Amino acid sequence: MDAMNPLHHAKVGVVVIGYDDAAHVTDAVRSALAQGDAVREVIAVDDCSTDGSAALLDALAAEEPRLTVVHRAVNSGGCGSPRNDGIDAATAPYVMFLDSDDVLPPGAVDALLGTAEAHGVPVAAGLCVRRELPSGREVPWERALYAGPAVLPNPSRRPRLAHDTLCVNKLYRTDFLREHAIRFPEGRYPYEDYVFSARVLAAAPRVALIPDTVYVWHVRRDAERLSISLDRGDISNWRARTEANRAAYETLLGAGEKRLARAVHAKFLDHDLRMYTRELELRTAAYRRDWWDHTRAYLSTFDAADLTLNPSAPGRLLARVLLASPAPRDLPRLRELAARPARLLPPYSRASDDTPVWSSDLPQVTLEHFLERPAHLLPLAVDAELHVGARATRLRLRLRLHELYGRVAEAGPASAHVVFTRREDGRVGLRGEARLLPDRYGDMWTGEAPVELSELAPGTWDLRLTLRFGDGTDREVTAHALGGSGLLRRRVVLDVHHSVGRVLLLQPYRTHAGALALRTASGWRGMTEVLRRRLGRLLH
């Protein structure tokens, strides 16, 4: 390498925080050390662990001079205080953060540091991917933000930055953080990175964005201790999330960054509100009442423009229904609206003046904006039934597309392209086509497509549809899973088309968002594993 290359100079400190994570913390530290010469120091902050993590870190530090271990005397109860300790201990010109159960991919520090140095920016950010374990399936976080390189003179030039609340996929100039007194909330403060990220944006730094993957966020849903973002079963989690959103909004508004502050509210409506609404039916009645009351109180602090701008957006419609109703209602329909893509299930009511409304008893929530949207941008609802025979070698997928205030008929539904994708690795198992035909009343279209068992390897298969219209447009949707009549029932079938024949366990089921999905397992071992996982989810 060129001796003048700035990456030869050790300029980055990586702060690794951990608590009782002996199984993973050394992997995280090693991934930081493996970044090479650009890393001057790795600062591992142990938050008073009791599982031997501290001893593991001390042993590694004895072998690696770039590693410093900071031992907290008292457990902080959160992530903010140990990260602040790391900032205080840093001697390198730049700092970045790493959680003990995640890793930095090769080249991450070089990519961020090279960009920061080349453009002279105090903040450089790259793509984070969520890696589901043990499957290894990866989902990019805020992919659109990092589609290509960009240098922004001010974060307000791209309000979408407020949607990326992560602190870990970014490199910060250390003196920038210290000069502006940018720190994390201390103590037990869930979603502390919401507030930290808002404080960074409020300082109006120049920001460089790169498309490189710079952080791998490990998602372990079967972990003994769930991460804060996954541990959503208690109402305190939702209260903490809304409090962090409120603090982020007020931080940006107080700094005069109204566009970014409004983006915080937009992110809450489109992401946080939809995610928790999808799970609301799974909670107790007491939780639902508390959640409903708290959410209505929080939404009442929003400006009217936050809810009326782009009123057809699913999150804004959810908020309007919540604000209009003092008690929980229409939970199955709200769950479907919160899905991605959104689905608005019937009934499609009208007020006395023929205005489309949410329901006859909630006419103040109007839907007239749907009359102005192209059909391929509407929250179209498709019902799906997967019919399985005891000796079937082929399944039958039956679809039913609902009319929506006359807009679907205008577009002219022609067909539905059917794709089953394996959740574990994104592999497409099979494709098909269902011709859509109108019923005699003109308020729905139906179609059917075969599903060959021989095309579906063991795994979990998600159904996605692309509706094709006569006007040349199309719309990607998921399908609402219909129940009843044994439709969502586990079955054992024989796939006689397989070379040696095989026994398959099939489980059509409804996801948390109401969509149709299918689990398949081969042989008795596979059947046992599916049942074990199912039982584990029920008992967790």
Side-chain angles (χ1 to χ4, degrees):
M1 294 177 64
D2 187 342
M4 298 302 292
N5 190 318
L7 298 186
H8 266 304
H9 304 293
K11 294 189 174 184
V12 176
V14 181
V15 176
V16 183
I17 64 167
Y19 168 67
D20 279 359
D21 197 13
H24 308 114
V25 66
T26 55
D27 289 339
V29 169
R30 291 184 189 281
S31 78
L33 293 169
Q35 296 296 310
D37 294 340
V39 173
R40 173 187 296 185
E41 58 191 354
V42 175
I43 303 166
V45 183
D46 181 71
D47 201 3
C48 206
S49 295
T50 61
D51 69 342
S53 296
L56 288 174
L57 291 171
D58 287 338
L60 188 55
E63 303 172 0
E64 174 52 66
R66 290 183 297 164
L67 175 60
T68 299
V69 183
V70 176
H71 298 279
R72 288 186 54 83
V74 178
N75 178 261
S76 69
C79 298
S81 295
R83 289 203 186 112
N84 288 337
D85 291 343
I87 295 173
D88 293 339
T91 64
Y94 296 90
V95 66
M96 62 186 302
F97 304 103
L98 173 61
D99 289 348
S100 62
D101 53 350
D102 300 330
V103 294
L104 298 180
V109 170
D110 279 356
L112 289 169
L113 178 60
T115 298
E117 295 269 274
H119 298 288
V121 298
V123 180
L127 183 68
C128 167
V129 296
R130 288 169 49 102
R131 179 180 292 163
E132 298 273 353
L133 295 176
S135 71
R137 175 175 175 259
E138 294 188 349
V139 180
W141 172 264
E142 289 294 331
R143 184 206 299 265
L145 262 180
Y146 302 101
V151 179
L152 308 174
N154 189 298
S156 62
R157 296 289 186 92
R158 192 165 296 184
R160 184 80 189 187
L161 282 170
H163 290 233
D164 183 7
T165 53
L166 300 181
C167 68
V168 290
N169 59 329
K170 302 172 181 71
L171 180 78
Y172 309 91
R173 204 168 62 217
T174 310
D175 61 5
F176 162 75
L177 296 180
R178 290 171 177 164
E179 176 187 349
H180 294 277
I182 298 172
R183 297 175 70 79
F184 293 87
E186 291 280 350
R188 178 163 179 77
Y189 193 107
Y191 304 105
E192 75 294 330
D193 44 357
Y194 286 32
V195 180
F196 177 85
S197 297
R199 290 171 178 172
V200 170
L201 297 178
R206 296 178 69 236
V207 179
L209 308 177
I210 59 174
D212 308 58
T213 298
V214 300
Y215 196 87
V216 178
W217 173 3
H218 286 152
V219 179
R220 297 179 173 89
R221 299 184 187 277
D222 58 352
E224 184 176 335
R225 187 180 76 243
L226 290 176
S227 66
I228 290 172
S229 61
L230 294 179
D231 190 10
R232 298 191 291 268
D234 191 278
I235 192 64
S236 62
N237 181 281
W238 180 238
R239 291 180 181 275
R241 197 159 191 142
T242 55
E243 168 56 25
N245 270 282
R246 183 200 59 77
Y249 175 84
E250 292 182 354
T251 295
L252 289 163
L253 195 63
E257 297 289 355
K258 191 168 185 177
R259 292 185 69 196
L260 289 168
R262 181 156 287 171
V264 169
H265 277 175
K267 178 260 180 187
F268 175 82
L269 295 170
D270 185 60
H271 177 70
D272 304 74
L273 183 61
R274 291 176 73 175
M275 176 169 58
Y276 282 72
T277 298
R278 289 195 295 268
E279 300 172 349
L280 203 52
E281 283 185 288
L282 305 175
R283 309 305 180 199
T284 65
Y287 176 102
R288 291 196 292 266
R289 286 193 301 271
D290 287 347
W291 185 92
W292 197 273
D293 291 343
H294 180 76
T295 306
R296 293 182 77 238
Y298 180 55
L299 290 172
S300 69
T301 67
F302 284 33
D303 291 340
D306 293 327
L307 304 179
T308 56
L309 184 68
N310 189 15
S312 61
R316 287 170 170 83
L317 180 52
L318 286 170
R320 290 165 57 211
V321 173
L322 275 156
L323 286 170
S325 178
R329 58 169 292 156
D330 301 337
L331 298 187
R333 199 175 187 215
L334 292 176
R335 177 198 64 200
E336 301 283 334
L337 182 61
R340 295 187 182 277
R343 300 182 295 268
L344 181 62
L345 297 185
Y348 304 125
S349 303
R350 291 182 183 268
S352 56
D353 63 357
D354 211 34
T355 299
V357 296
W358 176 261
S359 64
S360 58
D361 62 337
L362 213 64
Q364 62 269 46
V365 180
T366 60
L367 307 179
E368 71 272 18
H369 45 271
F370 287 147
L371 301 179
E372 302 171 359
R373 299 279 286 176
H376 67 279
L377 297 180
L378 293 174
L380 302 180
V382 179
D383 297 331
E385 304 175 3
L386 195 58
H387 290 265
V388 185
R391 296 179 175 272
T393 59
R394 169 182 289 189
L395 314 181
R396 306 299 302 180
L397 177 66
R398 296 177 183 171
L399 304 174
R400 182 171 63 196
L401 168 64
H402 294 275
E403 178 59 277
L404 184 63
Y405 297 117
R407 306 309 315 286
V408 178
E410 290 177 19
S415 65
H417 182 65
V418 177
V419 177
F420 276 91
T421 304
R422 191 159 67 174
R423 189 177 300 169
E424 290 83 355
D425 55 14
R427 167 192 163 190
V428 174
L430 61 84
R431 300 177 185 272
E433 202 79 20
R435 184 184 176 194
L436 296 176
L437 300 173
D439 72 349
R440 60 186 297 185
Y441 303 106
D443 59 356
M444 67 180 62
W445 290 257
T446 60
E448 188 173 289
V451 178
E452 295 287 351
L453 287 177
S454 57
E455 300 295 327
L456 297 179
T460 300
W461 297 89
D462 291 310
L463 170 65
R464 297 193 77 89
L465 307 170
T466 301
L467 302 176
R468 306 191 192 282
F469 298 99
D471 63 3
T473 60
D474 55 55
R475 169 67 162 165
E476 186 174 300
V477 300
T478 53
H480 164 67
L482 289 180
S485 303
L487 291 174
L488 302 179
R489 183 166 65 86
R490 186 180 298 112
R491 295 173 182 266
V492 178
V493 300
L494 177 64
D495 177 13
V496 297
H497 286 184
H498 195 264
S499 58
V500 295
R502 60 173 177 170
V503 174
L504 278 178
L505 176 70
L506 302 180
Q507 172 69 74
Y509 74 100
R510 182 184 292 125
T511 69
H512 287 173
L516 179 66
L518 175 66
R519 294 189 187 95
T520 63
S522 180
W524 292 107
R525 178 178 298 179
M527 293 166 59
T528 302
E529 178 64 17
V530 168
L531 292 172
R532 184 190 66 79
R533 292 181 181 178
R534 183 68 171 173
L535 182 61
R537 277 189 293 271
L538 292 174
L539 295 177
H540 188 72

